[in-house]
Amino acid sequence: MRTHTGGSRLAAVGAGAALLLTACGDDGAETASAEDGGTLSIYNCEPQNLMPGNNTENCGSRVLEQLFTGLTQIDYETYEAVPAVAESWETEDQTTWTFHLRDDFTFHNGDPVTAQTFVDTFNWVVDPDNAQAGATFHDKFVGYDDVVEGEAQEMEGVRAVDEHTLELELSEPFGQLPVVLTYTSFFPMPEVAFDDMEAFQSSPIGNGRYQMDGEWVHDVEIAMERYEEWPGEDPGAPQRIEWMIYNDVDTAYTDVLAGNLDILGEVPPHRIAGVEDDFGDNWSQHESSRFVYMGFPLYQEEFEDPDLRHAMSMAIDREEIIENIFDGSQTPARSILPPVLPQGRDDACEHCHFDPEAAADLYEDAGGPSELTLYTDSGTGHDEYVEAIGNQWRQNLGIEEIRYESLDFAQYLDLHESEGVTGPYRLGWLLAYPSPQYAMEPLYSAGAPSNYSGYASEEFDELIDQANAADVEEADTIYQEAEDVLLEDLPVIPLWFQDYFIVHSDRVTDVDMDLRSFVRVEDVTVTD
């Protein structure tokens, strides 16, 4: 039997863009002093929403994971799932899981968090009438299809055995479940939320370290205060957190420099070269799980040969592009699993080293096309390095003509979904939770929603199924075997893993970031 128990040590759980400081916080709000934790101000972008089940982007996730605590949480030293609302869990077959809940968690309005709370929340998120973007994360529960495609009102596999015992039955073995449950889509919602969801997301009532202080002031700020009744042993260090919403990240940078903002966790690329001169010791560089790649439309005949894909990968000088465009601030990718994961390997890809002579010979032998169209999304700074890749391919592979198509992101995804892409394309992927399963299965399994290349490999799918069904300690090697299949077939070319830069004011210390690029605000010390 697989079991997990742990003490009550809790850390926040969970799984951006350019934005202008439009206003400051409520002048009438009471400001906390340094003695009781102080007030921390931090840059954020305007969230799409603050609904746990409908959140799919970082701007909302950063806020939600402070307002809510899930069944499990991530230990960001080991990247393992550890207890949160659930103090322990067990399974005999990776299919039926029993979670034993603590009896001292409450929502910020005082209502208790029970097993039925999670049953009600999961079923509400999955109900197609509620159109929650995170519903698909629940698709392994027995009865999911009956609710989504049939007339069932609840998932059969989500059951409250008693007030503090939750049973989750899956349609197939899945050893990664405790890690997946850290994602925002599984955060519990109180009964009052179901009465008026629009009002709820204006001022969410959660069960996390912090509670809302007033309503979300759109395009201005989201303010929260420490919830003193939170039962964990590690309450948030700051007494108050003010998420200041900008529409221009450069303005946020200058505000930190001027001491008007405490933390910016997304230094824009053109500012990176100057951070040391601007901030002295008040900056840091952090690896992340964000994987940037060039994919191939394998439904196009000219890209079917793996040797052609190998050649195009070997013709890219990643270090040169990183140095010239990013001032050396990215980590060249020679794997698909991020090296920040315990399962990641720094140099797993044989065909990801720059070798222009071998690449040219291989490209010619594979009958590579003399004309290419490269695709990317516009307005987010990707065009420059995509053109640099095109120039290297022209120079190193003798390609005669390269055209570029740049579309806004919505149009770009529509083109992928209609298989309208006819050449190599740029995309990226950031882990919602730290598992090799999420780094690979949604992108490369046959028929997966984000498998825009059209890649299909029975060997890869079988290995993913085996790894998913295995105990978490036994799965790592199998996931790496699945990665080896990808690195040989190379449906996408690994480019780099994105590094993030934090700058901060003199008022704060202990500023760190996790692999999702989230500043760990609950650990920041405010010094005055």
Side-chain angles (χ1 to χ4, degrees), residues 132-200:
Q132 298 294 285
T136 56
F137 283 88
H138 300 248
D139 63 0
K140 287 183 170 59
F141 294 141
V142 169
Y144 171 86
D145 290 338
D146 296 332
V147 172
V148 173
E149 300 174 5
E151 298 182 359
Q153 300 298 307
E154 297 184 347
M155 292 180 287
E156 180 185 343
V158 180
R159 302 182 286 266
V161 177
D162 56 41
E163 189 174 10
H164 297 110
T165 306
L166 178 70
E167 189 170 83
L168 300 177
E169 183 182 356
L170 310 181
S171 55
E172 58 189 26
F174 189 50
Q176 302 294 303
L177 180 65
V179 175
V180 176
L181 290 173
T182 65
Y183 187 56
T184 58
S185 181
F186 299 98
F187 288 167
M189 294 190 295
E191 187 174 349
V192 67
F194 306 112
D195 296 332
D196 188 342
M197 281 294 175
E198 185 174 346
F200 176 74

Side-chain angles (χ1 to χ4, degrees), residues 290-296 312-322 326 330-336 346 349 351-353 374-376 382 385-390 392-393 424-428 444 487 490 492-498:
R290 186 178 293 279
F291 175 57
V292 181
Y293 62 89
M294 293 294 290
F296 294 97
M312 296 182 75
S313 176
M314 295 160 59
I316 298 174
D317 188 341
R318 294 160 177 79
E319 282 79 3
E320 180 181 74
I321 294 174
I322 290 170
F326 299 100
Q330 309 299 317
T331 301
R334 295 190 172 90
S335 62
I336 285 174
D346 291 328
C349 179
H351 309 293
C352 295
H353 293 272
L374 309 190
Y375 294 80
T376 188
H382 306 304
Y385 66 76
V386 170
E387 290 186 17
I389 291 169
Q392 289 187 353
W393 280 342
Y425 58 87
R426 186 225 73 89
L427 274 175
Y444 312 110
L487 292 172
L490 221 62
V492 305
I493 295 175
L495 295 177
W496 44 79
F497 294 98
Q498 184 171 339

Side-chain angles (χ1 to χ4, degrees), residues 61-305:
S61 292
R62 297 173 185 136
V63 175
L64 289 169
E65 75 161 25
Q66 299 302 327
L67 295 174
F68 292 86
T69 299
L71 285 166
T72 58
Q73 63 190 352
I74 295 298
D75 180 331
Y76 279 101
E77 293 184 0
T78 65
Y79 295 113
E80 296 178 346
V82 293
V85 174
E87 61 186 357
S88 66
W89 56 87
E90 69 262 0
T91 181
E92 294 183 349
D93 55 6
Q94 317 296 323
T95 301
T96 300
W97 296 74
T98 302
F99 291 83
H100 303 283
L101 277 55
R102 295 172 55 144
D103 62 5
D104 53 358
F105 262 93
T106 62
F107 287 104
H108 301 148
N109 64 356
D111 289 352
V113 179
T114 67
Q116 190 61 43
T117 300
F118 287 94
V119 173
D120 294 340
T121 298
F122 292 2
N123 282 311
W124 189 91
V125 170
V126 166
D127 186 341
D129 290 341
N130 299 322
Q132 298 294 285
T136 56
F137 283 88
H138 300 248
D139 63 0
K140 287 183 170 59
F141 294 141
V142 169
Y144 171 86
D145 290 338
D146 296 332
V147 172
V148 173
E149 300 174 5
E151 298 182 359
Q153 300 298 307
E154 297 184 347
M155 292 180 287
E156 180 185 343
V158 180
R159 302 182 286 266
V161 177
D162 56 41
E163 189 174 10
H164 297 110
T165 306
L166 178 70
E167 189 170 83
L168 300 177
E169 183 182 356
L170 310 181
S171 55
E172 58 189 26
F174 189 50
Q176 302 294 303
L177 180 65
V179 175
V180 176
L181 290 173
T182 65
Y183 187 56
T184 58
S185 181
F186 299 98
F187 288 167
M189 294 190 295
E191 187 174 349
V192 67
F194 306 112
D195 296 332
D196 188 342
M197 281 294 175
E198 185 174 346
F200 176 74
Q201 79 151 328
S202 294
S203 185
I205 299 169
N207 66 320
R209 276 188 176 85
Y210 289 88
Q211 60 184 331
M212 291 288 292
D213 181 21
E215 293 191 350
W216 167 15
V217 184
H218 289 272
D219 299 310
V220 179
E221 72 167 354
I222 299 169
M224 55 180 65
E225 293 274 347
R226 193 165 57 204
Y227 180 51
E228 303 299 346
E229 301 305 316
W230 189 77
E233 295 178 359
D234 295 319
Q239 173 67 28
R240 178 180 175 85
I241 299 173
E242 296 173 348
W243 301 88
M244 307 308 299
I245 300 173
Y246 287 71
N247 59 23
D248 181 359
V249 73
D250 273 302
T251 304
Y253 185 91
T254 58
D255 271 358
V256 180
L257 195 58
N260 298 324
L261 182 72
D262 289 320
I263 298 176
L264 169 65
E266 301 179 32
V267 173
H270 69 277
R271 292 281 195 173
I272 290 171
V275 293
E276 187 168 7
D277 288 339
D278 287 343
F279 287 92
D281 294 331
N282 291 349
W283 70 278
S284 54
Q285 181 176 357
H286 302 263
E287 291 182 314
S288 79
S289 65
R290 186 178 293 279
F291 175 57
V292 181
Y293 62 89
M294 293 294 290
F296 294 97
L298 301 186
Y299 47 82
Q300 296 284 333
E301 183 177 356
E302 60 263 44
F303 301 109
E304 290 180 351
D305 188 344

Side-chain angles (χ1 to χ4, degrees), residues 21 29 34 73 139 160 180 183 285 315 367 411 417 435 461 464:
L21 180 60
Q73 63 190 352
D139 63 0
V180 176
Y183 187 56
Q285 181 176 357
Q411 291 177 318
E417 290 169 1
S435 169
D461 288 349
I464 287 293

